[in-house]
Amino acid sequence: MQSKTTQVKSGFGSKLGFILAAAGSAVGLGNIWRFPYLAAKYGGGMFLLVYLIFAVTFGFALMTTEIAIGRRTGKSVIQAYSDMNCHFKPLGWLAGAIPVIILPYYCVIGGWVLKYLVIFTTGSGASAAGDGSYFSNFIGHAGSPMLFFAIFILLTAVVVMLGVQKGVEKVSKLMMPVLLILIVGISIYTLTLPGAIDGLIYYVKPDFNQFSIKTVIAAVGQLFYSMSLAMGIMITYGSYMRKEDNIESSVRQIEVFDTLVAFLSGLIIVPAVFVFSGGDENALNAGPSLMFITLPNVFKEMLGGQIVGAVFFLLVVLAAMTSSISLMETVVSIVEERFHWKRIPSCLIVTGISFLIGLLSVFGYSIWSDFTIFHMQFLDFFDYISNNMMPIVALMTCVLVGFVVKTTFVEDEIEKNARFRVKGLYRVMIKFICPICMLLILFSALFLKL
């Protein structure tokens, strides 16, 4: 076993910068649209309660582990696992592959959101309403989706090329407060709509008759998206974290910010859809199409909906951008460390390769729509693969920390400048609870249809 502890990277200039950047990574499309529709699908308040319990236990344990690994090793995700134990280097490669897979198709979806921001800000939002034909026609032609995908990934690349402090940290300090102001404002406006209180009650009131094992699995699965877990991001950002900053309190603050955004996203979407669908719960179960088909119809019927829609999609673009930045930063850090290249060439190469891979997702709905992999379009296939890789990475990380290098590897790093107040809970979570949750998720992927 090796346990190198030298930090070799320049990093965040302040604790606030780290927290906002990490929270920005966590706050993404998973919070804005996936969290609300899962909450609606799995019992509203019941899902919220289960999610909150797991966020402060399961999510806290995994995020703390990854940030501590990153700060102690000071390395990118691949080398970090190798430094902990040379036999776990393949785990580093597996974890490093996840952002490589996710970044291209995530930026494709980011391009879709950017397109909707443009049509709402130009006063054409009503054209997106209807039976979904606008969205299907948009993604069914390669030209426009490819253009917006290119714009989105280039904007992401510019931020990453500027570096950790001048790019990632500075942009996070700007974007995250704006995002929070926008989401609070829209959620307050939504709650003033006639009949919105019924949707609010459905969203926040736990119905214990709705509790099931699927609710638990869905809540745990959502944590990966909501908190950027098991995809190398938190290890990368942890490697940029200052040694004098408190890991435990930082994780708590990231969790609060992330969970608040996810909750407020539900306050925007669930009551609004509830109102304009006449209380039809099935409208909330539209899944991924909720953002691009259902919500434009809601905005069309809403007083001031054109403006609200524009602000909403600006919010989603900001959230998507903060996450795509963290994904690209993780991949760039791997390339820099692996090949000893400078940041700008590394970023340009990552951007170019990601763009080419992303074209598969663009063309998968247009010129190559007849070609599928296991009956899935390219984007859905990449999403499916990454979804199943993350629980495996999390499970093996728990095994590595809990039983190979022992939890003291993480605890010692945390206690360099503060007492680890929940050390006992942390050990139980990493050794037993988290692995059981991972096995449940993997089991559900094989045998349950969520």
Side-chain angles (χ1 to χ4, degrees):
M1 184 190 77
Q2 307 170 50
S3 58
K4 302 174 184 177
T5 59
T6 303
Q7 189 169 4
V8 296
K9 297 182 179 181
S10 61
F12 294 109
S14 65
K15 181 180 179 181
L16 177 63
F18 167 75
I19 291 171
L20 290 178
S25 166
V27 173
L29 295 174
N31 293 68
I32 304 297
W33 62 266
R34 195 175 189 270
F35 185 92
Y37 86 70
L38 283 179
K41 183 176 181 180
Y42 294 105
M46 191 68 250
F47 178 86
L48 282 178
L49 179 61
V50 173
Y51 177 86
L52 185 61
I53 292 171
F54 278 107
V56 299
T57 53
F58 169 90
F60 170 81
L62 283 182
M63 182 178 285
T64 299
T65 297
E66 293 190 12
I67 290 174
I69 288 173
R71 195 173 76 170
R72 177 161 180 169
T73 62
K75 302 293 178 60
S76 70
V77 60
I78 294 176
Q79 194 59 46
Y81 280 110
S82 179
D83 281 6
M84 291 174 71
N85 186 286
C86 60
H87 299 296
F88 279 78
K89 189 169 186 176
L91 178 59
W93 283 101
L94 183 64
I98 293 174
V100 173
I101 294 172
I102 294 177
L103 176 62
Y105 78 77
Y106 193 94
C107 288
V108 170
I109 300 173
W112 297 352
V113 178
L114 196 59
K115 165 69 173 180
Y116 272 64
L117 172 61
V118 170
I119 64 172
F120 271 90
T121 53
T122 55
S124 305
S127 62
D131 59 0
S133 58
Y134 181 91
F135 179 64
S136 59
N137 288 334
F138 165 59
I139 65 173
H141 295 83
S144 186
M146 184 167 63
L147 173 63
F148 282 98
F149 163 47
I151 294 171
F152 188 89
I153 199 170
L154 284 175
L155 289 173
T156 301
V158 168
V159 175
V160 174
M161 279 191 284
L162 289 172
V164 177
Q165 287 190 28
K166 293 182 179 180
V168 177
E169 183 173 356
K170 184 173 289 187
V171 169
S172 297
K173 284 182 175 180
L174 173 65
M175 283 187 176
M176 295 311 292
V178 173
L179 185 150
L180 187 60
I181 291 170
L182 291 177
I183 200 168
V184 169
I186 304 176
S187 60
I188 291 173
Y189 176 80
T190 302
L191 292 177
T192 65
L193 298 172
I197 299 303
D198 292 334
L200 173 64
I201 292 172
Y202 173 79
Y203 179 52
V204 302
K205 183 180 179 181
D207 180 358
F208 289 92
N209 293 325
Q210 297 278 358
F211 180 80
S212 68
I213 186 64
K214 287 187 176 182
T215 304
V216 173
I217 294 172
V220 174
Q222 174 61 23
L223 281 170
F224 286 105
Y225 298 93
S226 287
M227 301 179 72
S228 293
L229 300 174
M231 49 183 89
I233 292 174
M234 289 303 162
I235 290 178
T236 301
Y237 277 15
S239 71
Y240 300 144
M241 187 181 188
R242 301 187 308 175
K243 288 291 187 180
E244 62 265 31
D245 292 336
N246 187 310
I247 292 178
E248 184 178 4
S249 67
S250 296
V251 171
R252 291 296 187 200
Q253 291 166 11
I254 294 167
E255 279 189 313
V256 169
F257 200 110
D258 175 72
T259 304
L260 178 63
V261 170
F263 175 74
L264 290 175
S265 299
L267 280 186
I268 294 172
I269 294 174
V270 176
V273 175
F274 203 86
V275 167
F276 291 100
S277 65
D280 181 11
E281 295 180 11
N282 292 325
L284 292 163
N285 294 330
S289 65
L290 181 67
M291 182 184 298
F292 300 108
I293 299 174
T294 305
L295 283 177
N297 284 300
V298 170
F299 295 139
K300 182 181 179 181
E301 299 297 325
M302 184 186 295
L303 180 65
Q306 185 74 40
I307 297 174
V308 176
V311 175
F312 173 79
F313 281 106
L314 174 60
L315 162 69
V316 180
V317 166
L318 292 176
M321 188 71 68
T322 54
S323 292
S324 64
I325 288 168
S326 66
L327 287 164
M328 184 175 287
E329 177 62 38
T330 301
V331 180
V332 168
S333 72
I334 293 172
V335 173
E336 282 184 299
E337 187 174 85
R338 186 71 183 169
F339 298 103
H340 306 290
W341 293 343
K342 293 185 177 179
R343 173 166 288 266
I344 291 179
S346 299
C347 188
L348 289 174
I349 290 172
V350 168
T351 302
I353 294 174
S354 298
F355 181 77
L356 293 176
I357 297 174
L359 289 178
L360 295 175
S361 296
V362 172
F363 296 154
Y365 291 104
S366 53
I367 58 177
W368 293 342
S369 60
D370 292 334
F371 183 84
T372 60
I373 304 176
F374 302 115
H375 306 291
M376 291 180 281
Q377 303 290 354
F378 283 108
L379 190 150
D380 298 321
F381 175 72
F382 291 138
D383 187 54
Y384 176 80
I385 292 297
S386 59
N387 287 351
N388 285 281
M389 290 169 68
M390 287 186 283
I392 295 173
V393 170
L395 174 62
M396 295 309 298
T397 300
C398 290
V399 171
L400 172 60
V401 173
F403 301 99
V404 180
V405 300
K406 308 299 183 182
T407 57
T408 53
F409 186 93
V410 168
E411 294 161 5
D412 290 348
E413 184 64 25
I414 294 172
E415 293 181 329
K416 281 188 174 181
N417 51 21
R419 183 173 66 89
F420 193 8
R421 293 177 295 176
V422 291
K423 185 188 295 186
L425 173 64
Y426 172 78
R427 290 178 176 177
V428 172
M429 293 301 302
I430 286 297
K431 287 186 175 183
F432 306 109
I433 307 300
C434 290
I436 291 172
C437 290
M438 295 306 95
L439 291 173
L440 280 174
I441 291 177
L442 292 171
F443 174 83
S444 71
L446 293 174
F447 301 106
L448 296 177
K449 184 178 181 180
L450 295 182

